[in-house]
Amino acid sequence: MKTIFVKPLTVQKKWYLIDAEGKELGKVAVAAARILRGKNKPIYVPHQDMGDYVIIINAEKAALSGNKYQDKMYYRHSNYPGGLRSYSYADMIKRNPVYPMERAVKGMLPRGPLGRKLYTNMKVYAGANHQQQAQQPIKVEI
């Protein structure tokens, strides 16, 4: 048997649409990361970009279980003494409604040049409107 090696330029990339309204934040992020990575295709290889494009809408309406809405924290540091800042999920949704979804998906992608490239294949929108209608995305049910 011969090993089939697909060149990245010959891969047909599709667009997928995920509606996060009422869905668990983590489950939406897992589905998006699988599609971005290309693990839903039989030609998957871990060292190449074989994945598709993902559009996530209604990111601010994603659900969290338990008391995570008030208890989940996001941290950043200015690299100066005393520069640690912390924000709860509720504060972060008010500040930047797409950040929690972007951060969740980015954490599930590989580190390094490949992960940074895969991350650019994702578009996240806080509301139901998106700018990729011309690509005719395929709706994904979670």
Side-chain angles (χ1 to χ4, degrees), residues 95-126:
R95 269 178 78 108
N96 186 358
V98 298
Y99 179 79
M101 185 65 71
E102 289 176 340
R103 170 112 179 240
V105 174
K106 190 172 187 176
M108 295 178 189
L109 295 175
R111 276 49 168 186
L114 178 63
R116 289 190 293 272
K117 170 67 175 92
L118 294 174
Y119 182 70
T120 63
N121 295 339
M122 178 181 68
K123 308 287 184 202
V124 182
Y125 296 98

Side-chain angles (χ1 to χ4, degrees), residues 9-134:
L9 297 176
T10 62
V11 174
Q12 297 294 323
K13 293 191 171 226
K14 297 178 183 174
W15 286 78
Y16 290 94
L17 177 71
I18 300 174
D19 188 0
E21 185 173 5
K23 310 282 190 327
E24 293 284 335
L25 176 82
K27 290 186 181 191
V28 172
V30 166
R34 284 185 62 82
I35 294 169
L36 286 171
R37 199 71 211 271
K39 288 190 169 188
N40 58 340
K41 295 182 176 182
I43 60 170
Y44 168 73
V45 288
H47 63 285
Q48 286 183 342
D49 177 11
M50 295 291 174
D52 296 312
Y53 298 99
V54 175
I55 305 160
I56 300 174
I57 59 173
N58 293 320
E60 68 182 353
K61 297 177 184 171
L64 293 176
S65 61
N67 293 329
K68 290 182 196 157
Y69 194 79
Q70 288 85 19
D71 296 345
K72 184 172 178 59
M73 300 298 287
Y74 292 96
Y75 300 98
R76 66 188 183 102
H77 201 287
S78 66
N79 290 329
Y80 286 97
L84 181 67
R85 301 288 182 257
S86 59
Y87 304 97
S88 70
Y89 179 82
D91 293 338
M92 191 55 74
I93 285 293
K94 290 176 191 166
R95 269 178 78 108
N96 186 358
V98 298
Y99 179 79
M101 185 65 71
E102 289 176 340
R103 170 112 179 240
V105 174
K106 190 172 187 176
M108 295 178 189
L109 295 175
R111 276 49 168 186
L114 178 63
R116 289 190 293 272
K117 170 67 175 92
L118 294 174
Y119 182 70
T120 63
N121 295 339
M122 178 181 68
K123 308 287 184 202
V124 182
Y125 296 98
N129 298 328
H130 62 89
Q131 300 171 356
Q132 282 78 25
Q133 283 93 3

